[in-house]
Amino acid sequence: SLFKARDWWSTVLGEKEEFDQGCLCLADVDNSGNGQDKIIVGSFMGYLRIFNPHPVKTGDGAQAEDLLLEVHLRDPILQVEVGKFVSGTEMLHLAVLHSRKLCVYSVSGTLGNVEHGNQYQIKLMYEHNLQRTACNMTYGSFGGVKGRDLICIQSMDGMLMVFEQESYAFGRFLPGSLLPGPLAYSSRTDSFITVSSCRQVESYKYQVLAFATDADKRQETEQQKLGSGKRLVVDWTLNIGEQALDICIVSFNQSASSVFVLGERNFFCLKDNGQIRFMKKLDCSPSCFLPYCSVSEGTINTLIGNHNNMLHIYQDVTLKWATQLPHIPVAVRVGCLHDLKGVIVTLSDDGHLQCSYLGTDPSLFQAPKVESRELNYDELDTELKELQKIIKEVNKSQGVWPMTEREDDLKVSAMVSPNLDAVSQATDVDVGTDVVPSITVKVTLQNRVVLQKAKLSIYVQPPLVLTCDQFTFEFMTPEMTRTVGFSVYLKRSYTPSELEGNAVVSYSRATGIPRVIQCKFRLPLKLICLPGQPSKTASHKLTIDTNKSPVSLLSLFPGFASQSDDDQVNIMGFRFLGGSRVTVLASKTSQRYRIQSEQFEDLWLITNELILRLQEYFEKQGIKDFACSFSGSMPLQEYFELIDHHFELRINGEKLEELLSERAVQFRAIQRRLLTRFKDKTPAPLQHLDTLLDGTYKQVMALADALEENQDNLFQSFTRLKSATHLVILLIGLWQKLSADQTAILEAAFLPLQEDTQELGWEETADAAISHLLKTCLSKSSKEQALNFSSQLIIPKDTSRLKKHITLLCDRLAKGGRLCLSTDAAAPQTMVMPGGCATIPESDLEERSIEQESTELFTNHRHLIAETPTPEVSPLQVSE
């Protein structure tokens, strides 16, 4: 920076010593009479140093002869001041404040006859042992005395102790004091000014302090209560709304003075009577300040140091100069050193002492002339084409990020045991009377390079839990192999939404780049399911069509065959841990499989498992053209019932939280009333407040229990909703023969959240994602693309809008719409099926017309049940 503080002289004090704003003072402490100030510095380690800098040239460090005196006083030095502190003389003396002692020294020098120069020593004139721990001090001609200075010390508990040189005068407690603040003395008004812990500036007259009742005890005596003695009253107060770092008093002349207060964010200039003359909001957090009279009549300059290593000079509220320091100043003074007036002395908290002056350091560097040469544009053009060709080949071969390098650092593999654990590791389970099995999964990590603190995290879908889900590895040498094992089991009596687990390893390469590798594993169905009695009647049924002859269920599910039944070639029952049952039937004549259950969401895991096992079976047979399809009606009615149940639990949770908040406020209000009654010296009747407190407490506990129960039910409901959503996505994919990429888009839209919370729930996020699909890749016209959806994800009033958007999504897919995320997705789709697409509804009237259109579209489905349609339930929602 051009605006750096020009270093005149600097040094570093001691090793690991600490300093604060009271540890620096400038004065002619040895009474030399030549007008040259000396720098007096005290540290919290107890060292007192006095410097008289004489640099040979600007920027020199400290020489041995610059240090006049260094004394270790043993006790920490809180503050140093110079004044007329000894009776019978007007010579300047040094006052040093320790935590439990005030010492006054005389500093004198002896002319030296040898090359080592003058010798300086200090002599203790007197000391006062303090009964209370000191915080800070101020001095001045209290009461208008002439030719001498009195000292006032503020203790940590808010007591002002006044010393008339060698004798103790009196002590007074400041009313309402909690923590001590900065303290200053105004000679013009003969008053002490401080900032209390109430964040207000307070002024106390010295005469009022002197004649107030003695403060040997903080409690008021009986005589004070009866009116004997005078109370200590404040002269004026001003609320500044923040803690103060320092206070300074500056006089223009004999007729006016100003009180400067440095706050945490502002600095204030006050008149003698406490009125604000001006204030300035600071951009940076200040660390120290020093006001002094300006050369301009009626204005005051202020030096303000901040925590950005800057020193700002203000004239009233106008910034006149800014200079950069090499440290953060905690104390700043201005003095006359070595015939140089106006030297700025700064001290940091770790002992960097610097004398500097303001100015600029112009750069004398001139850039050399560049040799001019003629450019051959043909050669440059040829070189550019070669470079572009190399860049194109690199991007084509390995992409933006080379994937092989990341994978070679660490290899992760997971293996699920083929058999259940002989001794189950399940503990603290809540699955009824069933014995809960567990299965062991082993994860193997093999490193190519040295890796430190590789963290392995395992994730499974609740209510599945792990015996251990976090591992940390140290690969100190290359080509190490580490294997860890853990068990998985079912903890609660409802089914998980997926049987897939995920092992994620996070580590950092030697260059510091973080990497993440994941490996998925699939848990067996037998972990959560047992052979069950098949049922031929059920509330919810699905029919899956295939293009191959039906396969025996015994060969598809060998672990679920029951020895007592011989007809299990075509029918098989499953019972989940916890009680719910699912039945699978294979047609003897057609190429169909039927899955049925009493719970809609329980169909998902068995249906998915059936399709996966069919695909594996035909792959082993070498048949590659096997395909499944779904020709029935979409079971949206059952799906919407689960959405409504989940949403109802969310609304109940909000209501319970509001009630709990109201009861908690009521409980605290009653507590305050009771506390006031109990503190009252004259007992008063409780007026049944204790009964009201007990009743409110019981209500709070009951509401908290109800809220916990609702949160548990909401968690279970979200898991069931995820299972049903997976099933609906699977059926839409089979119905419209969607590709893997299109199915992934559908999953991202319907399942945007892993966890469901009151602040951000499934309904609003899924609705926003589905609305985006309807607006972009499934839109019909540019009018739809111009619609603006709400950007705020807030809990909706009801689920009707979400259900209508899901219905409309199925409608668009049925009419030939296709899901994609490419850049041309925003262009309107050309639907090949007759009838066209309805626009996204902008009003209730438009939504009703869409429902009618949807009804007409699906009337050819053979499973349709639409005798009594309602405005909120689409005829798409059917059951077999």
Side-chain angles (χ1 to χ4, degrees):
S1 170
L2 184 69
F3 297 95
K4 286 184 178 179
R6 309 295 293 121
D7 185 11
W8 182 68
W9 177 88
S10 62
T11 185
V12 178
L13 307 178
E15 292 184 3
K16 296 183 180 180
E17 294 188 45
E18 294 183 20
F19 304 83
D20 207 347
Q21 64 182 17
C23 297
L24 176 66
C25 180
L26 264 67
D28 185 16
V29 69
D30 60 341
N31 299 282
S32 61
N34 57 8
Q36 305 296 317
D37 291 329
K38 314 299 185 298
I39 303 174
I40 304 108
V41 184
S43 77
F44 288 166
M45 299 292 287
Y47 285 95
L48 177 69
R49 299 178 178 91
I50 302 177
F51 291 94
N52 186 19
H54 288 81
V56 177
K57 61 179 181 178
T58 300
D60 277 357
Q63 302 297 320
E65 58 268 21
D66 292 343
L67 180 61
L68 303 184
L69 181 71
E70 181 175 8
V71 183
H72 189 204
L73 301 179
R74 301 183 181 276
D75 295 321
I77 297 173
L78 305 183
Q79 192 171 342
V80 288
E81 297 291 353
V82 174
K84 303 171 184 177
F85 300 136
V86 177
S87 59
T89 177
E90 292 191 11
M91 302 284 280
L92 296 178
H93 289 76
L94 175 64
V96 180
L97 179 65
H98 303 285
S99 56
R100 284 281 185 170
K101 186 165 59 173
L102 171 67
C103 302
V104 175
Y105 299 92
S106 67
V107 180
S108 58
T110 305
L111 290 175
N113 297 321
V114 293
E115 61 181 5
H116 298 300
N118 301 338
Q119 298 179 3
Y120 287 81
Q121 61 271 346
I122 61 170
K123 178 183 178 183
L124 179 66
M125 304 303 292
Y126 62 88
E127 67 176 27
H128 293 290
N129 291 312
L130 307 178
Q131 299 299 316
R132 300 177 182 276
T133 304
C135 174
N136 52 24
M137 69 173 173
T138 186
Y139 70 95
S141 54
F142 305 162
V145 296
K146 303 293 184 181
R148 56 181 178 147
D149 290 325
L150 281 62
I151 297 176
C152 178
I153 299 175
Q154 182 178 205
S155 69
M156 293 298 289
D157 55 355
M159 181 181 180
L160 296 185
M161 297 170 282
V162 178
F163 296 89
E164 293 184 357
Q165 296 181 334
E166 290 87 349
S167 60
Y168 170 71
F170 57 85
R172 302 287 182 264
F173 276 108
L174 297 180
S177 175
L178 181 63
L179 292 172
L183 180 68
Y185 171 73
S186 173
S187 59
R188 187 179 171 278
T189 59
D190 193 26
S191 56
F192 295 99
I193 298 168
T194 184
V195 178
S196 68
S197 52
C198 299
R199 299 183 174 182
Q200 60 183 12
V201 185
E202 299 177 351
S203 174
Y204 296 92
K205 291 282 188 180
Y206 176 74
Q207 297 296 332
V208 175
L209 285 169
F211 289 102
T213 308
D214 196 16
D216 292 331
K217 297 181 180 179
R218 296 206 64 163
Q219 293 80 12
E220 292 184 346
T221 60
E222 290 297 327
Q223 287 79 8
Q224 283 177 282
K225 292 179 182 178
L226 296 173
S228 170
K230 292 187 178 181
R231 290 184 58 205
L232 178 56
V233 292
V234 66
D235 185 28
W236 54 261
T237 62
L238 175 69
N239 195 331
I240 59 172
E242 58 183 320
Q243 290 298 120
L245 302 180
D246 201 0
I247 296 177
C248 276
I249 314 290
V250 177
S251 297
F252 294 108
N253 46 49
Q254 292 300 320
S255 61
S257 64
S258 293
V259 179
F260 281 82
V261 181
L262 181 66
E264 295 171 323
R265 289 292 176 191
N266 306 275
F267 83 90
F268 305 84
C269 177
L270 314 179
K271 297 179 182 178
D272 291 334
N273 57 3
Q275 295 178 354
I276 293 182
R277 192 187 302 274
F278 62 81
M279 67 172 285
K280 173 69 177 176
K281 183 174 178 62
L282 303 174
D283 296 330
C284 305
S285 179
S287 58
C288 61
F289 87 141
L290 178 70
Y292 59 95
C293 289
S294 170
V295 292
S296 301
E297 185 67 28
T299 61
I300 292 182
N301 286 2
T302 310
L303 296 172
I304 299 182
N306 60 39
H307 285 86
N308 288 356
N309 294 18
M310 296 293 291
L311 189 68
H312 290 168
I313 294 89
Y314 289 91
Q315 188 176 66
D316 287 348
V317 294
T318 307
L319 181 63
K320 289 294 184 180
W321 196 267
T323 184
Q324 189 173 15
L325 296 172
H327 54 257
I328 298 174
V330 295
V332 58
R333 298 290 184 270
V334 174
C336 178
L337 301 173
H338 195 54
D339 294 327
L340 187 63
K341 294 182 179 180
V343 177
I344 300 172
V345 183
T346 54
L347 175 69
S348 71
D349 60 351
D350 56 354
H352 283 79
L353 180 66
Q354 175 172 312
C355 300
S356 54
Y357 56 91
L358 303 181
T360 57
D361 188 10
S363 175
L364 301 177
F365 172 77
Q366 290 183 351
K369 292 183 179 180
V370 180
E371 293 183 8
S372 60
R373 59 187 179 91
E374 294 183 2
L375 298 176
N376 190 332
Y377 290 101
D378 293 334
E379 290 181 1
L380 290 176
D381 195 32
T382 306
E383 184 181 358
L384 179 63
K385 288 180 179 179
E386 290 178 358
L387 292 174
Q388 287 177 339
K389 185 179 179 181
I390 294 171
I391 293 170
K392 191 174 182 180
E393 289 176 355
V394 169
N395 287 340
K396 187 183 296 183
S397 61
Q398 62 183 16
V400 180
W401 292 102
M403 302 297 289
T404 54
E405 183 184 4
R406 179 173 62 185
E407 293 170 355
D408 288 343
D409 288 344
L410 190 67
K411 292 183 179 178
V412 184
S413 60
M415 187 187 72
V416 181
S417 173
N419 301 315
L420 298 174
D421 296 340
V423 178
S424 175
Q425 302 297 313
T427 58
D428 192 23
V429 294
D430 180 17
V431 192
T433 57
D434 291 324
V435 177
V436 180
S438 66
I439 196 164
T440 300
V441 181
K442 292 183 179 179
V443 178
T444 303
L445 284 78
Q446 184 175 6
N447 66 309
R448 184 179 59 86
V449 296
V450 175
L451 299 174
Q452 293 183 354
K453 291 185 179 179
K455 294 184 179 179
L456 170 64
S457 303
I458 316 295
Y459 302 95
V460 291
Q461 293 293 328
L464 292 172
V465 293
L466 305 155
T467 52
C468 184
D469 60 352
Q470 298 281 343
F471 302 91
T472 304
F473 303 94
E474 296 280 351
F475 295 104
M476 304 307 295
T477 58
E479 304 301 335
M480 290 179 64
T481 301
R482 300 287 297 274
T483 302
V484 293
F486 52 88
S487 294
V488 188
Y489 60 90
L490 190 73
K491 192 178 177 83
R492 303 290 300 275
S493 59
Y494 56 96
T495 57
S497 60
E498 286 183 279
L499 285 176
E500 196 175 66
N502 201 3
V504 180
V505 182
S506 60
Y507 64 94
S508 294
R509 303 189 62 206
T511 56
I513 301 173
R515 297 291 195 194
V516 175
I517 297 179
Q518 62 177 348
C519 172
K520 294 187 177 182
F521 56 90
R522 183 165 183 81
L523 299 170
L525 185 64
K526 58 187 175 183
L527 181 64
I528 62 165
C529 192
L530 302 172
Q533 190 67 29
S535 173
K536 295 190 177 181
T537 60
S539 302
H540 305 279
K541 303 175 183 178
L542 288 176
T543 302
I544 303 297
D545 299 328
T546 64
N547 59 352
K548 301 295 176 186
S549 300
V551 183
S552 167
L553 296 180
L554 286 173
S555 58
L556 286 178
F557 299 94
F560 292 89
S562 177
Q563 297 178 355
S564 59
D565 295 332
D566 296 330
D567 59 345
Q568 283 201 332
V569 177
N570 302 102
I571 185 169
M572 184 170 286
F574 301 87
R575 184 173 68 84
F576 289 113
L577 294 176
S580 55
R581 299 174 184 273
V582 181
T583 303
V584 179
L585 299 95
S587 174
K588 297 178 182 179
T589 55
S590 62
Q591 302 165 349
R592 294 179 176 177
Y593 299 86
R594 171 170 286 184
I595 306 97
Q596 56 190 29
S597 173
E598 293 297 328
Q599 302 290 334
F600 174 67
E601 64 273 11
D602 291 338
L603 297 172
W604 152 245
L605 285 177
I606 301 299
T607 305
N608 189 48
E609 193 75 22
L610 173 66
I611 294 174
L612 288 176
R613 296 198 182 201
L614 281 171
Q615 291 172 346
E616 290 175 2
Y617 176 82
F618 285 109
E619 282 178 6
K620 289 179 182 178
Q621 301 292 328
I623 301 172
K624 297 183 179 180
D625 61 343
F626 170 75
C628 296
S629 61
F630 177 69
S631 58
S633 57
M634 292 300 298
L636 294 183
Q637 175 65 43
E638 294 87 339
Y639 182 47
F640 290 164
E641 288 176 0
L642 286 170
I643 292 176
D644 289 334
H645 179 63
H646 175 262
F647 185 72
E648 183 183 349
L649 288 172
R650 283 186 68 193
I651 297 298
N652 287 343
E654 275 197 344
K655 292 178 180 177
L656 286 171
E657 284 184 358
E658 289 177 4
L659 277 173
L660 183 61
S661 177
E662 290 175 4
R663 291 297 177 271
V665 170
Q666 177 179 314
F667 187 70
R668 289 192 293 271
I670 297 170
Q671 280 184 319
R672 284 195 295 270
R673 290 283 184 90
L674 276 174
L675 192 62
T676 305
R677 296 286 176 91
F678 291 145
K679 281 185 173 180
D680 197 355
K681 294 181 179 179
T682 57
L686 296 180
Q687 295 177 342
H688 301 289
L689 281 175
D690 52 342
T691 308
L692 193 59
L693 183 74
D694 184 57
T696 308
Y697 172 76
K698 290 178 180 177
Q699 288 180 353
V700 168
M701 297 306 295
L703 283 170
D705 293 339
L707 189 59
E708 279 189 357
E709 183 182 355
N710 187 82
Q711 286 174 343
D712 185 53
N713 293 337
L714 182 63
F715 188 78
Q716 291 188 32
S717 175
F718 185 58
T719 304
R720 294 190 174 99
L721 180 60
K722 283 199 290 186
S723 298
T725 305
H726 279 297
L727 180 61
V728 169
I729 293 170
L730 175 69
L731 295 180
I732 292 176
L734 297 177
W735 172 41
Q736 290 296 316
K737 296 181 174 55
L738 300 181
S739 65
D741 291 341
Q742 292 175 320
T743 306
I745 293 173
L746 213 55
E747 286 182 351
F750 274 87
L751 291 169
L753 297 177
Q754 285 296 321
E755 292 185 6
D756 189 48
T757 61
Q758 284 293 115
E759 294 78 17
L760 185 64
W762 178 84
E763 284 81 6
E764 53 266 30
T765 46
D767 187 34
I770 294 169
S771 299
H772 177 74
L773 291 179
L774 293 173
K775 181 185 173 184
T776 53
C777 59
L778 294 179
S779 65
K780 177 190 173 186
S781 63
S782 58
K783 179 184 175 184
E784 288 185 7
Q785 296 172 21
L787 291 177
N788 289 323
F789 294 104
S790 174
S791 59
Q792 291 185 344
L793 292 179
I794 56 175
I795 185 169
K797 294 180 180 179
D798 53 37
T799 58
S800 59
R801 177 183 171 88
L802 171 63
K803 292 189 288 190
K804 287 166 186 171
H805 282 169
I806 294 174
T807 306
L808 187 57
L809 177 77
C810 296
D811 181 11
R812 296 285 173 88
L813 289 173
K815 290 181 178 180
R818 281 297 169 258
L819 299 165
C820 61
L821 294 177
S822 59
T823 54
D824 59 347
Q829 296 268 339
T830 303
M831 304 299 185
V832 295
M833 297 186 68
C837 282
T839 58
I840 299 174
E842 295 185 48
S843 64
D844 293 339
L845 185 63
E846 225 175 316
E847 288 177 352
R848 293 193 193 101
S849 65
I850 285 168
E851 288 181 4
Q852 293 170 5
E853 186 185 340
S854 303
T855 307
E856 293 169 5
L857 175 69
F858 285 90
T859 49
N860 58 347
H861 285 277
R862 56 190 178 85
H863 294 286
L864 182 63
I865 301 175
E867 287 84 357
T868 56
T870 63
E872 293 188 2
V873 179
S874 169
L876 278 170
Q877 308 152 3
V878 296
S879 60
E880 255 189 44

